[in-house]
């Protein structure tokens, strides 16, 4: 019997990693927790209400992993529901009632085999995208299916009046129904993630298009100035011979203004940063009264354009949206690079009262939470994910009526050979 419990515990271990990220696991912590779970199952298996007890134990086991509580509860009910349905299927297929209240070895093999097949199907086809915490907003709705499965399995096991063939068909059908529903949900989550990625790519293309227009206009101005350069030099020479220094200075300033493109706010040399920030700063200049931007990053910075888009796109959108609702309408951006460290600092004015909930800030203003999102909350999880990708850190706090986001990331410079 203990061998069977160990085998089932292994299946449960695999089930948990269908829902939760394996990268955050600790082998020693997991081993200790699963040994305690095994001991609790062996001690409590003879007590009444063991099904509820098992669900509670599975829910506590799920606390090892990072994720929403709703998803942890869903995992507990799903594992217990699958176990009960597999046990019911094995009972109606193999149990002949020759030994009162006891299963033979074939029964235990069958339960383990059914559980293993269900887990492999779930892992291979049904749960590939659902590990994302933000993938589904309402885990409680999906929870109804495994809960109903547990109830049906308990009813089938508790009553002996059900025909063996009918019981096997019902239990097998419920197993298939669980797998199909989770497969459909996972496909929907995958489509949702692709839509988000597509939106990010479209924004990136828009920023590149804007930067291309900026460059073309700048080159057009330079070509026009170069065409008339001989005349300009002649005029400056005449002014110099007449010792008209103030007129020379005014003339040169006019030439500088003619060469300057009013939509080119950033010119660091890094195409990814320049294209995105020129697009966002143009929007900020339209909506805000005070915008200050200082950017100095190397051209060869080893950071993907998609990552730049997630970080700067989300932070700038949130900052502009919040600052536009204030009287000050101020935005201050600093991006710099020193000795392998990329520093990003974005400060903006905000109105209303901010309430901190864990690592998130919630707003008391209705207009900032009509869709259930908090101020600066949109996309912040994705920002944090990218920051962690570069082994960085993110600090979010408020200073009076100024909201501050500071990011530090370790980014190398691409070497050209």
């Amino acid at each position: 019997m203990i061998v069977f419990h160990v085998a089932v515990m292994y299946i449960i271990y695999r089930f948990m990693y269908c829902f939760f990220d394996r990268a955050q696991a600790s082998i020693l912590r997991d081993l200790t927790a699963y040994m305690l779970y095994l001991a609790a199952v062996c001690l409590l298996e003879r007590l009444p209400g063991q099904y509820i007890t098992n669900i509670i134990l599975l829910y506590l086991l799920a606390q090892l992993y990072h994720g929403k509580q709703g998803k942890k509860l869903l995992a507990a009910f799903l594992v217990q529901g699958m176990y009960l349905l597999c046990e019911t299927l094995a009972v109606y297929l193999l149990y002949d009632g020759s030994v009162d209240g006891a299963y033979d070895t074939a029964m235990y093999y069958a339960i383990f085999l059914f559980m293993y097949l269900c887990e492999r199907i779930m892992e291979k086809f049904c749960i590939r995208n659902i590990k994302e915490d933000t993938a589904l907003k309402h885990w409680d709705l999906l929870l109804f299916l495994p809960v109903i499965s547990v109830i049906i399995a308990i009813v089938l096991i508790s009553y002996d009046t059900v025909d063996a063939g009918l019981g096997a068909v019902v239990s097998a059908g419920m197993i298939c129904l669980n797998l199909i529903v989770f497969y459909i949900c996972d496909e929907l989550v995958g489509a949702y993630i692709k839509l988000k990625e597509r939106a990010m790519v479209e924004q990136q293309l828009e920023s590149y298009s804007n930067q291309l227009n900026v460059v073309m206009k700048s080159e057009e101005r330079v070509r026009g100035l170069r065409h008339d350069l001989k005349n300009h030099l002649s005029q400056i020479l005449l002014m110099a011979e007449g010792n008209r220094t103030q007129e020379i200075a005014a003339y040169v300033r006019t030439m500088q203004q003619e060469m300057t493109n009013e939509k080119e706010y950033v010119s660091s040399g890094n195409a990814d940063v320049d294209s995105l920030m020129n697009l966002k700063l143009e929007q900020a200049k339209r909506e805000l009264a005070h915008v200050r931007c200082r950017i100095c990053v190397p051209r060869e910075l080893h950071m993907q354009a998609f990552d730049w888009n997630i970080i700067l796109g989300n932070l700038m959108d949130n900052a502009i949206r919040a600052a536009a609702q204030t009287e000050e309408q101020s935005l201050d951006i600093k991006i710099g690079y020193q000795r392998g460290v990329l520093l990003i600092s974005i400060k903006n004015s905000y109105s209303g009262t901010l309430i901190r909930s864990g690592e998130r800030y919630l707003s008391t203003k209705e207009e900032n939470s009509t869709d259930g999102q908090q101020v600066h909350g949109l996309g912040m999880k994705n920002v944090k994910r990218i920051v962690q990708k570069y082994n960085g850190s993110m600090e979010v706090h408020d200073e009076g009526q100024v909201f501050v986001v500071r990011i530090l990331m370790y980014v190398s410079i691409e070497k050209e050979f």
Side-chain angles (χ1 to χ4, degrees):
M1 189 64 180
I2 186 65
V3 175
F4 172 72
H5 284 312
V6 172
V8 171
M9 184 185 69
Y10 171 71
I11 300 297
I12 292 172
Y13 172 80
R14 295 182 64 96
F15 259 114
M16 288 297 178
Y17 283 120
C18 289
F19 282 91
F20 306 106
D21 189 5
R22 188 184 296 268
Q24 298 177 351
S26 169
I27 297 178
L28 181 60
R29 183 195 63 183
D30 283 5
L31 182 60
T32 303
Y34 278 92
M35 288 298 102
L36 291 174
Y37 168 79
L38 179 62
V41 168
C42 294
L43 289 174
L44 302 176
E45 65 175 338
R46 299 297 182 182
L47 296 178
Q50 60 173 324
Y51 301 133
I52 303 299
T53 303
N54 286 342
I55 292 174
I56 295 174
L57 290 175
L58 289 170
Y59 176 70
L60 294 175
L61 196 61
Q63 301 304 315
L64 288 170
Y65 310 104
H66 174 74
K68 294 181 178 180
Q69 294 300 318
K71 186 163 69 170
K72 295 175 182 179
L73 192 61
L74 173 64
F77 269 99
L78 177 67
V79 173
Q80 183 61 30
M82 282 296 186
Y83 175 82
L84 289 177
L85 290 173
C86 290
E87 182 183 19
T88 305
L89 180 60
V91 167
Y92 282 110
L93 289 177
L94 300 176
Y95 187 57
D96 56 6
S98 58
V99 181
D100 187 24
Y103 296 163
D104 58 12
T105 304
M107 289 284 297
Y108 290 121
Y109 274 122
I111 295 172
F112 172 77
L113 177 61
F114 293 150
M115 281 284 290
Y116 181 75
L117 290 176
C118 289
E119 188 280 327
R120 292 299 295 168
I121 294 173
M122 291 282 288
E123 182 180 355
K124 189 70 175 178
F125 302 105
C126 300
I127 300 184
R128 290 169 295 178
N129 305 301
I130 218 167
K131 290 183 180 181
E132 291 284 340
D133 273 352
T134 56
L136 292 177
K137 292 184 178 179
H138 304 290
W139 289 103
D140 50 347
L141 298 179
L142 197 58
L143 185 62
F144 278 105
L145 181 62
V147 170
I148 294 172
S149 301
V150 169
I151 296 173
I152 291 175
I154 293 175
V155 170
L156 290 175
I157 292 174
S158 301
Y159 294 93
D160 298 330
T161 56
V162 180
D163 179 73
L166 178 61
V169 170
V170 171
S171 55
M174 289 302 300
I175 291 174
C176 294
L177 181 62
N178 277 268
L179 295 176
I180 291 171
V181 169
F182 274 91
Y183 171 78
I184 294 174
C185 289
D186 189 72
E187 288 297 311
L188 291 175
V189 169
Y192 170 71
I193 293 173
K194 289 180 180 178
L195 283 175
K196 290 200 302 182
E197 292 177 350
R198 180 179 177 181
M200 298 297 294
V201 171
E202 288 178 352
Q203 185 183 45
Q204 186 174 331
L205 290 175
E206 182 183 1
S207 65
Y208 283 150
S209 176
N210 178 77
Q211 184 67 10
L212 181 60
N213 291 332
V214 169
V215 172
M216 290 178 66
K217 288 182 180 179
S218 297
E219 289 184 352
E220 183 179 351
R221 289 172 179 266
V222 171
R223 283 197 302 269
L225 186 64
R226 186 186 299 117
H227 180 269
D228 299 328
L229 186 59
K230 182 178 180 180
N231 296 329
H232 292 311
L233 291 176
S234 298
Q235 185 65 32
I236 293 173
L237 181 60
L238 289 174
M239 293 179 184
E241 290 175 349
N243 200 24
R244 294 145 57 187
T245 56
Q246 292 184 351
E247 293 183 20
I248 293 175
Y251 197 92
V252 171
R253 280 194 293 268
T254 302
M255 292 178 64
Q256 288 178 333
Q257 292 175 0
E258 184 66 22
M259 293 178 62
T260 302
N261 187 348
E262 64 276 3
K263 292 188 177 181
E264 188 175 16
Y265 308 102
V266 178
S267 181
S268 67
N270 189 303
D272 298 329
V273 177
D274 293 348
S275 58
L276 180 60
M277 290 305 296
N278 279 324
L279 179 65
K280 295 301 179 181
L281 287 171
E282 182 181 359
Q283 177 187 353
K285 291 284 187 179
R286 289 197 309 264
E287 300 185 17
L288 305 180
H290 307 285
V291 178
R292 188 182 182 190
C293 182
R294 287 150 291 174
I295 297 178
C296 182
V297 293
R299 177 181 300 180
E300 306 84 6
L301 204 59
H302 189 252
M303 186 169 175
Q304 297 179 359
F306 195 78
D307 296 340
W308 277 117
N309 202 38
I310 291 177
I311 292 179
L312 296 180
N314 281 299
L315 294 182
M316 289 294 292
D317 286 343
N318 290 334
I320 295 170
R321 185 186 305 113
Q325 299 171 359
T326 66
E327 295 182 1
E328 296 82 1
Q329 294 189 340
S330 65
L331 175 63
D332 187 0
I333 305 108
K334 294 180 183 177
I335 304 176
Y337 184 83
Q338 290 183 351
R339 298 179 181 179
V341 178
L342 178 66
L343 301 171
I344 300 175
S345 173
I346 298 181
K347 301 179 181 180
N348 65 273
S349 58
Y350 74 90
S351 60
T353 304
L354 291 176
I355 304 173
R356 185 159 186 167
S357 175
E359 296 183 353
R360 297 182 179 181
Y361 278 83
L362 309 177
S363 174
T364 58
K365 293 178 68 65
E366 293 182 359
E367 59 267 28
N368 290 334
S369 56
T370 54
D371 61 349
Q373 299 291 343
Q374 61 275 21
V375 174
H376 291 269
L378 184 61
M380 290 299 282
K381 281 191 175 181
N382 288 332
V383 173
K384 187 175 182 180
R385 175 172 57 83
I386 299 301
V387 171
Q388 291 175 345
K389 174 182 176 180
Y390 292 92
N391 300 315
S393 61
M394 181 171 67
E395 177 187 355
V396 181
H397 65 278
D398 57 307
E399 301 173 353
Q401 289 299 107
V402 177
F403 196 90
V404 182
V405 178
R406 290 192 179 96
I407 291 176
L408 182 149
M409 294 186 295
Y410 297 94
V411 186
S412 60
I413 294 179
E414 293 179 339
K415 295 181 179 180
E416 297 183 358
F417 295 95

